[in-house]
Amino acid sequence: MGEQQHVKFPQEVLDEYSALGVDLVALFSAGHLGNRMGVQIVEAAADRVVGTMPVEGNTQPYGLLHGGASAVLAETLGSVGAMLHGGTSKIAVGVDLNCTHHRGIRSGLVTGVATPVHRGRTTATYEIVISDEQDRRVCTARLTCLLRDLKADDAAPAGGATD
């Protein structure tokens, strides 16, 4: 997901994960896909996750931001929120993602903000609003993640927060 030095995590999250020896940068990423797409998480907490992605390199043949790129950003941000909500004893696995694309964009940086709609014991649902640099809504997405108990043989998901 690119360089993660500027991610703002709540102190209690940093303390909880560092006590377990967990690398938050690897845990809260979109893996190789996020790296290729330039996804950057800039703020992460269970109640709000913010990330950015460049339009350049993530366009479809007409030169517009690819809808799938918006979906990757949305699922990444919602998954991070669900994992933070679930805590160190759970794994968040995306089970439903829907995206409505409101406007085309050809350049610049988009910013996604994920906020919870529902945070339960077994599922978490986040709304993700993706906007352009003029704060115009480009995409609205909703992601639901299953919160599965972490088993001893489960490794931290190195490739991302979801399957």
Side-chain angles (χ1 to χ4, degrees), residues 16 24 43-45 68 86 96-97 104 149 155 161:
E16 181 181 12
L24 284 175
E43 180 183 332
D96 181 64
L97 173 67
D149 288 334

Side-chain angles (χ1 to χ4, degrees), residues 2-64:
E3 191 57 44
Q4 292 289 313
Q5 295 176 355
H6 303 293
V7 177
K8 295 184 337 189
F9 288 101
Q11 189 59 49
E12 63 272 11
V13 171
L14 291 171
D15 294 344
E16 181 181 12
Y17 283 90
S18 67
L20 298 171
V22 174
D23 178 0
L24 284 175
V25 174
L27 186 61
F28 300 116
S29 77
H32 298 295
L33 179 60
N35 282 331
R36 283 193 301 267
M37 296 180 72
V39 172
Q40 295 280 321
I41 296 179
V42 296
E43 180 183 332
D47 61 347
R48 179 178 157 94
V49 181
V50 179
T52 62
M53 180 181 67
V55 173
E56 184 178 349
N58 294 312
T59 57
Q60 38 88 312
Y62 296 116
L64 299 170

Side-chain angles (χ1 to χ4, degrees), residues 20 58 67-68 79 83 108 110 114 119 129 137 146 151:
L20 298 171
N58 294 312
S79 293
M83 289 184 76
V110 292
R119 289 188 296 179
V129 175
R137 192 176 289 223
L146 173 67
K151 299 179 193 119

Side-chain angles (χ1 to χ4, degrees), residues 57-100:
N58 294 312
T59 57
Q60 38 88 312
Y62 296 116
L64 299 170
L65 177 64
H66 196 291
S70 294
V72 168
L73 178 60
E75 184 154 357
T76 299
L77 299 178
S79 293
V80 168
M83 289 184 76
L84 287 169
H85 166 66
T88 57
S89 65
K90 301 275 188 178
I91 291 178
V93 180
V95 294
D96 181 64
L97 173 67
N98 69 66
C99 301
T100 301

